[in-house]
Amino acid sequence: MAKKFLCLGIESTAHTFGASVVSGDGEVLSDIREMFTTEEGGLKLDEVAEHHKKVAEHVVERALKDAGVEIEDLELISFSRAPGLAPSLLVGMNAAKEIAKDGGIPLVGVNHCVAHLSSGLLFTKAKNPVFVFTSGANTQIIAFEGRKFRVFGETLDVGLGNAFDKFGRGIGLGFPCGPKIEVLAKKGSYVELPYSVKGMDLAFSGIVSHVVRLSKQKKISKQDLCYSIQENFFSMLTEVSERALAHTGKKEIVLIGGVAANKRLCEMMGIMCKERECMFYSVPLKYSGDNAVMIAWQGILEKKSATKNVERWDINPRERIDLVEVEWM
Ligand code: ATP
């Protein structure tokens, strides 16, 4: 039997340090993640990087063991070089460089947001969709046109996940708040809140500050606040996604990023797509948040840029998705 092309992916842009082995035909052989969490309060840059340093070696070892492979079996190492928290990105890059150097294996650095989109194509049947990418740090409506990923609409301040986290912290929930808000929202009813769509763009921060203030001034239950903020944020996102479909003439939506785990958001997007006779796909829950599977897969797509000269690679904490040259599509 022919030997499979194997890539080790390493993810470390934010709260998660992950390692995964994926084959050249997209088979996931392992997927190990260690996530930095807190009971109360948010992410502190140096604490997250410290966490990643502590778990890195063990996570990589487990990923290799789960896949049943040795370092010598790998033909490519891929790491997330952008965008993200600089101290965390450095931990991932240094780990990847060390393994690549020791094993004499080619290394490639990929853009984490692009990897999210590619995983949307790997794990769904979508061919040429509008991507609704909504994670902690990002919220963008993106489509592939003219050899680039073009951003048709985006947040003007924070990503939707971070907006949820900030709101959650404001009412006393620990990180990450999104899943806790989703649970509380199931028992809530609607109270009127602001709605903020500006052209194709979205603004979340002002609404978060308003709702946190409201929670201190008036006796409104956490359940009602969670339900209402979810309804408004998701309606805003669905509205601009629908307009992106109309503008591009595309017939598919792929929902990606940590917030895609939310069932109410999927329901709203699903209804909108049905009404427009479009297909709605959401990346499987398991792969919606940060993971190294998508980093390995993106590395495989970009393997032509890989090099044994590992020093060629550096991190780029602020690289936007529309600056990436797309040569693999
Ligand atoms: P990025 O991928 O842009 O670097 P990130 O690493 O912070 O950002 P992800 O791991 O993709 O993002 O997603 C984490 C975010 O998703 C957190 O902000 C979390 O609150 C949010 N989230 C997770 N589950 C849910 C949910 N069920 N409902 C709403 N938000 C959620």
Side-chain angles (χ1 to χ4, degrees):
M1 205 170 69
K3 205 172 150 247
K4 278 195 171 185
F5 183 95
L6 298 177
C7 174
L8 171 73
I10 294 184
E11 157 62 21
S12 72
T13 51
H15 45 68
T16 297
F17 190 93
S20 159
V21 179
V22 175
S23 71
D25 54 5
E27 189 189 349
V28 179
L29 301 181
S30 65
D31 174 14
I32 306 293
R33 311 172 197 188
E34 288 281 350
M35 186 178 174
F36 174 85
T37 57
T38 65
E39 285 301 318
E40 256 179 56
L43 298 182
K44 290 208 181 92
L45 294 194
D46 46 349
E47 286 178 14
V48 182
E50 243 350 274
H51 165 268
H52 291 357
K53 263 188 215 154
K54 250 187 234 151
V55 302
E57 198 178 328
H58 190 49
V59 168
V60 170
E61 273 171 17
R62 280 167 56 209
L64 294 173
K65 190 162 174 243
D66 261 29
V69 302
E70 307 284 339
I71 290 191
E72 304 79 76
D73 300 319
L74 300 171
E75 290 189 52
L76 182 65
I77 313 280
S78 173
F79 72 99
S80 43
R81 59 171 177 79
L85 311 175
S88 301
L89 286 169
L90 279 173
V91 178
M93 181 177 75
N94 291 338
K97 280 187 173 177
E98 203 178 307
I99 302 167
K101 226 181 207 169
D102 289 353
I105 306 163
L107 181 71
V108 62
V110 302
N111 179 294
H112 167 99
C113 301
V114 167
H116 266 299
L117 305 195
S118 295
S119 75
L121 297 180
L122 177 66
F123 293 120
T124 72
K125 294 197 172 109
K127 296 274 174 278
N128 185 14
V130 167
F131 296 95
V132 179
F133 174 34
T134 180
S135 61
N138 293 282
T139 294
Q140 291 178 322
I141 318 296
I142 302 164
F144 185 66
E145 285 202 353
R147 307 234 49 82
K148 284 214 165 162
F149 288 112
R150 312 271 167 192
V151 177
F152 286 86
E154 64 188 317
T155 176
L156 295 172
D157 42 55
V158 295
L160 181 48
N162 286 357
F164 277 135
D165 294 333
K166 198 169 161 215
F167 159 70
R169 276 201 308 279
I171 63 163
L173 310 175
F175 176 84
C177 301
K180 296 174 189 169
I181 293 168
E182 181 173 17
V183 171
L184 287 168
K186 287 201 177 113
K187 294 198 177 130
S189 24
Y190 192 70
V191 289
E192 185 112 9
L193 297 181
Y195 185 94
S196 185
V197 172
K198 298 170 195 248
M200 281 296 283
D201 295 327
L202 306 153
F204 300 114
S205 281
I207 302 179
V208 169
S209 307
H210 173 83
V211 183
V212 171
R213 230 178 7 252
L214 200 67
S215 75
K216 294 187 172 125
Q217 289 162 353
K218 288 195 186 168
K219 269 215 148 128
I220 303 174
S221 70
K222 281 187 183 168
Q223 284 89 341
D224 287 356
L225 291 172
C226 290
Y227 177 77
S228 310
I229 203 165
Q230 257 197 194
E231 288 300 296
N232 276 29
F233 283 173
F234 293 164
S235 305
M236 287 158 53
L237 191 59
T238 307
E239 181 190 326
V240 292
S241 305
E242 182 169 17
R243 268 193 271 136
L245 282 176
H247 176 76
T248 58
K250 294 191 193 286
K251 287 288 184 193
E252 305 161 312
I253 285 237
V254 174
L255 184 60
I256 306 161
V259 185
N262 190 293
K263 293 205 173 55
R264 178 63 181 140
L265 175 58
C266 293
E267 185 185 29
M268 271 196 204
M269 286 281 177
I271 293 170
M272 179 273 282
C273 285
K274 200 166 171 205
E275 284 172 357
R276 292 190 65 86
E277 297 180 350
C278 293
M279 294 301 293
F280 169 67
Y281 301 98
S282 165
V283 170
L285 203 57
K286 204 166 140 192
Y287 300 117
S288 62
D290 289 354
N291 65 83
V293 172
M294 64 185 197
I295 302 301
W297 179 240
Q298 189 60 38
I300 290 167
L301 295 176
E302 292 186 47
K303 65 176 184 270
K304 269 197 205 148
S305 320
T307 167
K308 285 189 181 176
N309 171 14
V310 300
E311 297 315 327
R312 193 191 120 192
W313 294 105
D314 201 356
I315 60 164
N316 188 350
R318 292 185 177 273
E319 183 177 72
R320 275 179 64 88
I321 199 163
D322 41 12
L323 292 178
V324 176
E325 293 294 334
V326 181
E327 279 163 14
W328 61 92
M329 297 267 287

